[in-house]
Amino acid sequence: MKTIVASAAAPAAIGPYSQAVRYGNLLFVSGTLGMDPKTGELAGPGIEEQATRALENLRAIVRAAGLTLGNVLKSTVFLRDMNDFAAFNAVYARYFPADPPARETVQVARLPRDAAIEISVICGA
């Protein structure tokens, strides 16, 4: 029942984990940084660039499973700086304009590659 899902349109995993795992009607997408899948570099220094790229990466992985962002039930957001919360919300609202998923957002001490943001999601098929 467990199926690994991956997309070349999103950065490859940088450790021993899968981009996403489908189990039954659920898709669990690993934390995704705002990295450009072509260069492997962060999309930019700011929260807007990294949040946009992280959400585009999530969209690519979700699409690889045959779903859309409309299937996202819950997201978990890790911010390096909670002062970026409003700017992040402005970007996030463009991707989830209606009926947004459940979400928690927390500030963390440090993220891989010293990223400004990491986002994971759970989708229902």
Side-chain angles (χ1 to χ4, degrees):
M1 298 220 39
K2 175 178 155 180
T3 305
I4 303 303
V5 175
S7 172
I14 57 175
Y17 61 89
S18 300
Q19 285 179 334
V21 175
R22 186 175 208 144
Y23 188 80
N25 290 331
L26 296 175
L27 179 70
F28 300 88
V29 183
S30 294
T32 303
L33 304 175
M35 290 175 35
D36 184 310
K38 294 177 185 164
T39 67
E41 300 297 323
L42 292 172
I47 189 65
E48 292 90 355
E49 300 97 342
Q50 288 189 36
T52 299
R53 185 71 252 170
L55 288 160
E56 287 296 325
N57 293 339
L58 286 169
R59 184 186 339 237
I61 296 166
V62 168
R63 279 185 179 156
L67 303 174
T68 70
L69 291 180
N71 293 99
V72 175
L73 303 173
K74 182 173 183 308
S75 64
T76 302
V77 180
F78 302 98
L79 293 176
R80 179 178 58 206
D81 185 347
M82 195 55 80
N83 291 317
D84 290 335
F85 187 75
F88 163 69
N89 271 337
V91 174
Y92 189 85
R94 293 194 310 259
Y95 287 84
F96 300 100
D99 301 322
R103 183 183 98 186
E104 66 265 339
T105 305
V106 296
Q107 179 174 314
V108 295
R110 192 168 181 202
L111 290 165
R113 306 271 174 101
D114 290 319
I117 188 167
E118 182 173 3
I119 308 170
S120 66
V121 298
I122 299 171
C123 300

